[in-house]
């Protein structure tokens, strides 16, 4: 576990345009390319966000991956799986891992004041972490945060035209004033046959494996609109948007709102 790099908040390569002070309308406004169509799978405020840190090379992870597949099928939960690379030395290089995923987990470790990382780890709403294989702990954390006001506090609506995705982030009222607009890309579900290591010989299906994370802009507590080119979304398997507060030290904080932009559901 020697990797301790800070999450690279990359400048987004997409032409993401923020339009400040735009109030959320009851009906999407008509664009030059046609009227945006609301994404029917979206809820303004999902129950919560579950970020699973997992590895194909970890013998403790398959039960968590199986439970995560159930979460990924729930439209009321934004479920994202970050495959890490620090178990690759055990004999199998995770085919879905990347260093940015590992960096994000280490940033959470520092934000939580922990001394080490582990798999399977589930981070709930960016606020706390539990055993990712424990249905009781994950469900309990989601329910508790929803009940105590630590769930999704800011509504997000996603609509689309032929050439763009429109993201409307709501107003925080008297709540937090700033957050990063984080775009998380993930792969369609895929089966992987593991040839070596602790899970050698197993064929496992992985859902919503994160392939890229981009910080696309800022949200300042007021209703705001962002636009994303449809051409970029079409290149990816799936995509979600997170409104995540970030500390002065650059470490990730509570997630205030989230929505799927595109959610693949095929093998």
């Amino acid at each position: 576990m020697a990797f301790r790099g800070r999450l690279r908040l990359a400048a987004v390569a997409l032409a993401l345009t923020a339009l400040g002070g735009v109030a959320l309308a009851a009906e999407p406004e008509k664009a030059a390319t046609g009227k945006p169509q609301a994404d029917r799978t979206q809820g303004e405020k999902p129950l919560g966000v579950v970020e699973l840190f997992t590895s194909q090379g970890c013998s403790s992870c398959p039960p968590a991956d199986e439970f995560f597949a159930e979460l990924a099928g729930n439209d009321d939960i934004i479920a994202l799986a970050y495959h890490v690379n620090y178990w690759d030395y055990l004999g199998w290089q995770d085919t879905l891992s990347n260093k940015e995923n590992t960096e994000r987990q280490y940033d959470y470790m520092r934000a939580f004041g922990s001394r080490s990382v582990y798999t399977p780890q589930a981070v709930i709403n960016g606020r706390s972490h539990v055993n990712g294989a424990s249905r009781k702990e994950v469900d309990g954390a989601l329910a508790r945060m929803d009940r105590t006001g630590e769930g999704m506090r800011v509504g997000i609506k996603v609509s689309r035209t032929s050439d763009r995705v429109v993201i409307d982030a709501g107003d925080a009222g008297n709540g937090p004033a700033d957050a990063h607009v984080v775009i998380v890309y993930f792969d369609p579900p895929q089966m992987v046959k593991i040839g070596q290591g602790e899970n050698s010989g197993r064929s496992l299906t992985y859902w919503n494996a994160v392939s890229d994370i981009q910080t696309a802009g800022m949200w300042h507590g007021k209703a705001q609109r962002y636009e994303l080119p449809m051409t970029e979304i079409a290149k990816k398997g799936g995509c979600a948007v997170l409104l995540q507060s970030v500390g002065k030290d650059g470490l990730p904080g509570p997630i205030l709102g989230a929505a799927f932009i595109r959610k693949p559901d095929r093998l």
Side-chain angles (χ1 to χ4, degrees), residues 173-206:
N174 295 324
D178 291 297
H180 287 191
V181 180
V182 181
I183 308 298
V184 182
Y185 294 100
F186 55 88
D187 294 331
Q190 55 189 291
M191 181 177 291
V192 176
K193 185 175 182 179
I194 300 174
Q196 299 180 50
E198 294 188 342
N199 293 316
S200 179
R202 303 186 67 166
S203 293
L204 301 170
T205 300
Y206 295 100

XYZ file of all heavy atoms in Angstrom, residues 173-206:
254
model
N -30.406 26.472 -0.265
C -31.089 27.183 0.807
C -30.075 27.714 1.808
O -29.154 28.443 1.461
N -30.240 27.307 3.060
C -29.301 27.732 4.102
C -28.172 26.729 4.307
O -27.456 26.795 5.306
C -30.051 27.941 5.420
C -31.051 29.078 5.343
O -30.802 30.075 4.679
N -32.193 28.914 6.010
N -28.042 25.809 3.383
C -27.039 24.761 3.519
C -25.671 25.194 3.032
O -25.389 26.395 2.911
N -24.808 24.234 2.716
C -23.432 24.514 2.292
C -23.395 25.353 1.021
O -24.293 25.270 0.184
C -22.845 23.116 2.071
C -24.033 22.226 1.871
C -25.116 22.793 2.715
N -22.355 26.157 0.885
C -22.300 27.138 -0.190
C -21.462 26.712 -1.385
O -21.646 27.252 -2.469
C -21.765 28.456 0.357
N -20.547 25.781 -1.227
C -19.642 25.447 -2.329
C -19.447 23.942 -2.453
O -19.427 23.219 -1.451
C -18.275 26.094 -2.118
C -18.330 27.606 -2.249
O -18.652 28.091 -3.352
O -18.074 28.293 -1.250
N -19.284 23.504 -3.677
C -18.958 22.102 -3.950
C -18.350 22.007 -5.338
O -18.546 22.895 -6.184
C -20.205 21.216 -3.850
N -17.597 20.948 -5.564
C -17.093 20.658 -6.893
C -18.140 19.871 -7.673
O -18.851 19.038 -7.117
C -15.810 19.822 -6.810
C -14.614 20.601 -6.357
N -13.343 20.103 -6.423
C -14.495 21.848 -5.827
C -12.483 21.001 -5.963
N -13.166 22.062 -5.588
N -18.213 20.138 -8.956
C -19.039 19.346 -9.864
C -18.129 18.255 -10.424
O -17.228 18.535 -11.218
C -19.621 20.205 -10.994
C -20.480 19.360 -11.921
C -20.419 21.372 -10.419
N -18.330 17.041 -9.972
C -17.446 15.934 -10.327
C -18.169 15.000 -11.296
O -19.261 14.508 -10.993
C -17.008 15.149 -9.070
C -16.062 14.007 -9.446
C -16.348 16.088 -8.067
N -17.561 14.774 -12.440
C -18.117 13.856 -13.431
C -17.366 12.536 -13.316
O -16.134 12.497 -13.409
C -17.982 14.411 -14.866
C -18.565 15.830 -14.943
C -18.682 13.493 -15.847
C -20.024 15.940 -14.622
N -18.094 11.449 -13.085
C -17.495 10.127 -12.905
C -17.965 9.221 -14.038
O -19.166 8.974 -14.191
C -17.897 9.514 -11.549
C -17.212 8.162 -11.357
C -17.544 10.456 -10.403
N -17.019 8.745 -14.843
C -17.332 7.835 -15.938
C -17.096 6.401 -15.484
O -16.145 6.123 -14.748
C -16.441 8.135 -17.147
C -16.690 9.491 -17.771
C -15.851 10.567 -17.500
C -17.771 9.692 -18.621
C -16.080 11.812 -18.068
C -18.009 10.938 -19.198
C -17.159 11.994 -18.915
O -17.388 13.223 -19.472
N -17.961 5.498 -15.937
C -17.781 4.100 -15.560
C -18.133 3.180 -16.728
O -18.832 3.575 -17.670
C -18.605 3.745 -14.316
C -20.077 4.041 -14.423
C -20.965 3.112 -14.944
C -20.579 5.256 -13.978
C -22.319 3.381 -15.033
C -21.934 5.544 -14.055
C -22.814 4.596 -14.587
N -17.629 1.952 -16.650
C -17.801 0.974 -17.718
C -19.138 0.252 -17.605
O -19.703 0.131 -16.514
C -16.684 -0.072 -17.660
C -15.311 0.505 -17.957
O -15.244 1.496 -18.712
O -14.317 -0.035 -17.433
N -19.646 -0.273 -18.734
C -20.810 -1.152 -18.661
C -20.449 -2.408 -17.875
O -19.258 -2.737 -17.718
C -21.094 -1.498 -20.130
C -20.334 -0.498 -20.927
C -19.145 -0.121 -20.102
N -21.420 -3.148 -17.357
C -21.105 -4.387 -16.647
C -20.357 -5.352 -17.548
O -20.668 -5.481 -18.725
C -22.476 -4.933 -16.232
C -23.452 -4.233 -17.114
C -22.865 -2.905 -17.407
N -19.357 -6.010 -16.990
C -18.562 -6.937 -17.794
C -18.054 -8.089 -16.937
O -17.780 -7.930 -15.749
C -17.381 -6.215 -18.433
C -16.481 -5.479 -17.466
C -15.470 -4.609 -18.187
O -14.547 -5.095 -18.840
N -15.649 -3.297 -18.075
N -17.955 -9.243 -17.583
C -17.462 -10.429 -16.899
C -15.960 -10.549 -17.115
O -15.459 -10.356 -18.221
C -18.173 -11.685 -17.399
C -17.733 -12.964 -16.717
S -18.665 -14.412 -17.291
C -20.276 -14.044 -16.606
N -15.242 -10.866 -16.049
C -13.792 -11.007 -16.115
C -13.416 -12.384 -15.578
O -13.842 -12.769 -14.482
C -13.078 -9.915 -15.288
C -11.565 -10.147 -15.288
C -13.409 -8.528 -15.837
N -12.632 -13.138 -16.346
C -12.104 -14.412 -15.887
C -10.725 -14.165 -15.289
O -9.808 -13.704 -15.972
C -12.009 -15.420 -17.031
C -11.563 -16.804 -16.569
C -11.595 -17.816 -17.699
C -11.180 -19.194 -17.193
N -11.220 -20.216 -18.295
N -10.585 -14.460 -14.022
C -9.346 -14.164 -13.302
C -8.406 -15.365 -13.403
O -8.757 -16.483 -13.013
C -9.660 -13.817 -11.834
C -10.565 -12.585 -11.807
C -8.381 -13.560 -11.054
C -11.062 -12.214 -10.445
N -7.194 -15.105 -13.909
C -6.291 -16.208 -14.218
C -5.276 -16.541 -13.145
O -4.716 -17.638 -13.146
N -5.031 -15.608 -12.220
C -4.024 -15.842 -11.193
C -4.462 -15.162 -9.896
O -5.495 -14.520 -9.832
C -2.664 -15.290 -11.648
C -2.099 -15.927 -12.911
C -0.754 -15.341 -13.292
O 0.157 -15.248 -12.471
N -0.627 -14.941 -14.547
N -3.637 -15.310 -8.892
C -3.893 -14.628 -7.629
C -4.912 -15.327 -6.753
O -5.268 -16.488 -6.982
N -5.417 -14.609 -5.760
C -6.285 -15.204 -4.750
C -7.643 -15.645 -5.287
O -8.294 -16.513 -4.699
C -6.487 -14.202 -3.597
C -5.219 -13.911 -2.815
C -5.478 -13.074 -1.580
O -6.544 -12.439 -1.504
O -4.603 -13.060 -0.687
N -8.070 -15.047 -6.390
C -9.358 -15.434 -6.978
C -9.182 -16.207 -8.280
O -10.093 -16.258 -9.112
C -10.206 -14.173 -7.230
C -10.624 -13.510 -5.935
O -11.045 -14.175 -4.991
N -10.500 -12.191 -5.878
N -8.028 -16.830 -8.449
C -7.703 -17.555 -9.676
C -8.787 -18.589 -10.015
O -9.254 -19.319 -9.156
C -6.357 -18.261 -9.535
O -6.044 -18.982 -10.711
N -9.188 -18.583 -11.284
C -10.169 -19.545 -11.769
C -11.607 -19.060 -11.694
O -12.507 -19.714 -12.247
N -11.837 -17.936 -11.039
C -13.199 -17.434 -10.901
C -13.541 -16.492 -12.052
O -12.690 -15.757 -12.554
C -13.386 -16.700 -9.578
C -13.058 -17.532 -8.368
C -13.383 -16.825 -7.076
N -14.826 -16.628 -6.904
C -15.389 -16.275 -5.762
N -14.636 -16.081 -4.676
N -16.699 -16.116 -5.685
N -14.788 -16.527 -12.470
C -15.312 -15.572 -13.440
C -16.311 -14.694 -12.715
O -17.326 -15.194 -12.209
C -15.972 -16.299 -14.619
O -15.013 -17.015 -15.379
N -16.019 -13.406 -12.650
C -16.835 -12.485 -11.871
C -17.330 -11.340 -12.751
O -16.625 -10.899 -13.662
C -16.024 -11.918 -10.704
C -15.472 -12.958 -9.716
C -14.496 -12.300 -8.748
C -16.609 -13.623 -8.957
N -18.544 -10.885 -12.480
C -19.118 -9.765 -13.219
C -18.995 -8.499 -12.388
O -19.367 -8.477 -11.210
C -20.598 -10.024 -13.554
O -20.698 -11.206 -14.363
C -21.192 -8.854 -14.324
N -18.464 -7.455 -13.008
C -18.219 -6.194 -12.325
C -19.105 -5.103 -12.924
O -19.170 -4.931 -14.132
C -16.746 -5.805 -12.431
C -15.847 -6.778 -11.713
C -15.149 -7.762 -12.410
C -15.714 -6.742 -10.328
C -14.332 -8.668 -11.739
C -14.900 -7.636 -9.654
C -14.218 -8.602 -10.364
O -13.412 -9.502 -9.698
